Amino acid sequence: MHKLLLSCSMLLSVAAMAQEAPAGHQSAKPSRWQIGLNVSPQINYRLLRATPGDQGSAIAKDSRNQSEIPRPQYTAGVSLGYQLNEHISLNSGLQYSNWGGQTKRRDLIYAFPNPALPTQVSMLYNINYLILPATVNVTFGHKRLKFTAGAGLNAMYLLREQTRQSLFYASSETEIQTTNTSYYRKFNLAAQLSAGVDYALNEKVHLKLEPIFRFAVIKSVNAPVKENLYNYGLNIGTYWKI
């Protein structure tokens, strides 16, 4: 979370400096290219589907839906855009994103109770991706505040996958165990939709604030219970025309 707060602070600081910079002499007309920094606080979850006719996978799906819950995480990175005309732009870049979820804390039941054993357990799943987005954005309006919408695909490469298990004891102690895992496919594609506002600080610098939704279109694991990861959040960005 501190990384997310630091990223937001950097974006706001850069935007403030750009707005307060002296106008000076008449600048040259900006080019069609722009670069940017963005951070996206998000809520991660997944869509589960059981194999038709497989009772075991249906039970496993129901069990996971009862124990797993959404988890807040973030996406952050740099972007590169090209303005085709006044209203349409093409955008790409490089993003780091955590799509991991978590479970509820659940009680551990033993046939023979032992005070030395943990009483509860919970799991955190860290699924870290390097993302190459390719989107088309449409902007409406002619004043400083404009409305924007975008759609496209994200190419996702799995960097790291970890499971963190937290064991809770009656003595209030907590034991954390981290394990590297390899359940998820290395490459995936995610559809992306967004819509929000674009505010021009000056001729070259603008801010963007947009709710965003991403959905992995390829099943994430090769298992009887099909799983598609998704997240939704708020993308915050500062962009410079170069």
Side-chain angles (χ1 to χ4, degrees):
M1 184 59 68
H2 69 279
K3 294 181 180 178
L4 176 57
L5 294 175
L6 178 60
S7 299
C8 290
S9 299
M10 289 176 59
L11 290 178
L12 293 175
S13 299
V14 171
M17 287 189 293
Q19 189 175 33
E20 295 171 1
H25 59 80
Q26 184 67 27
S27 59
K29 183 178 180 181
S31 77
R32 293 176 178 265
W33 292 95
Q34 68 175 13
I35 59 173
L37 298 174
N38 69 281
V39 60
S40 171
Q42 65 198 32
I43 300 297
N44 297 326
Y45 206 41
R46 75 292 176 279
L47 174 67
L48 301 179
R49 292 170 293 140
T51 301
D54 186 341
Q55 187 64 25
S57 67
I59 293 174
K61 184 198 77 169
D62 292 341
S63 176
R64 289 184 58 184
N65 281 334
Q66 292 175 7
S67 64
E68 296 177 354
I69 56 177
R71 180 188 177 195
Q73 274 294 337
Y74 70 94
T75 294
V78 297
S79 64
L80 178 66
Y82 181 77
Q83 198 76 29
L84 292 178
N85 54 43
E86 183 182 359
H87 299 291
I88 301 175
S89 64
L90 304 178
N91 298 274
S92 187
L94 201 59
Q95 307 283 313
Y96 174 82
S97 186
N98 190 331
W99 288 52
Q102 63 183 340
T103 68
K104 301 174 185 176
R105 187 186 296 195
R106 61 184 178 87
D107 295 329
L108 296 174
I109 308 298
Y110 303 98
F112 302 99
N114 184 339
L117 295 176
T119 58
Q120 293 182 316
V121 63
S122 68
M123 310 288 284
L124 285 178
Y125 307 111
N126 289 311
I127 310 168
N128 305 126
Y129 287 101
L130 187 66
I131 295 179
L132 181 68
T135 62
V136 177
N137 282 73
V138 180
T139 303
F140 303 94
H142 299 282
K143 297 183 179 181
R144 299 182 73 175
L145 182 64
K146 300 179 181 180
F147 296 96
T148 181
L153 284 175
N154 292 327
M156 304 165 57
Y157 179 76
L158 182 63
L159 295 175
R160 185 184 65 170
E161 180 187 340
Q162 285 186 334
T163 298
R164 191 180 76 177
Q165 177 178 261
S166 297
L167 299 171
F168 303 93
Y169 292 82
S171 62
S172 298
E173 294 181 356
T174 303
E175 179 184 351
I176 296 177
Q177 302 172 349
T178 302
T179 305
N180 292 322
T181 54
S182 57
Y183 299 123
Y184 290 83
R185 64 171 67 245
K186 274 290 186 182
F187 178 80
N188 209 324
L189 288 173
Q192 175 176 307
L193 295 173
S194 64
V197 293
D198 185 305
Y199 181 76
L201 294 177
N202 54 43
E203 187 181 40
K204 288 190 174 184
V205 183
H206 60 110
L207 301 177
K208 185 178 288 187
L209 190 69
E210 53 183 353
I212 191 167
F213 175 74
R214 307 178 186 92
F215 184 88
V217 296
I218 303 174
K219 66 178 182 179
S220 303
V221 294
N222 185 19
V225 178
K226 299 176 178 63
E227 177 179 347
N228 294 81
L229 301 174
Y230 68 87
N231 60 52
Y232 55 90
L234 183 66
N235 188 52
I236 307 165
T238 302
Y239 301 87
W240 299 263
K241 293 182 179 180
I242 54 177

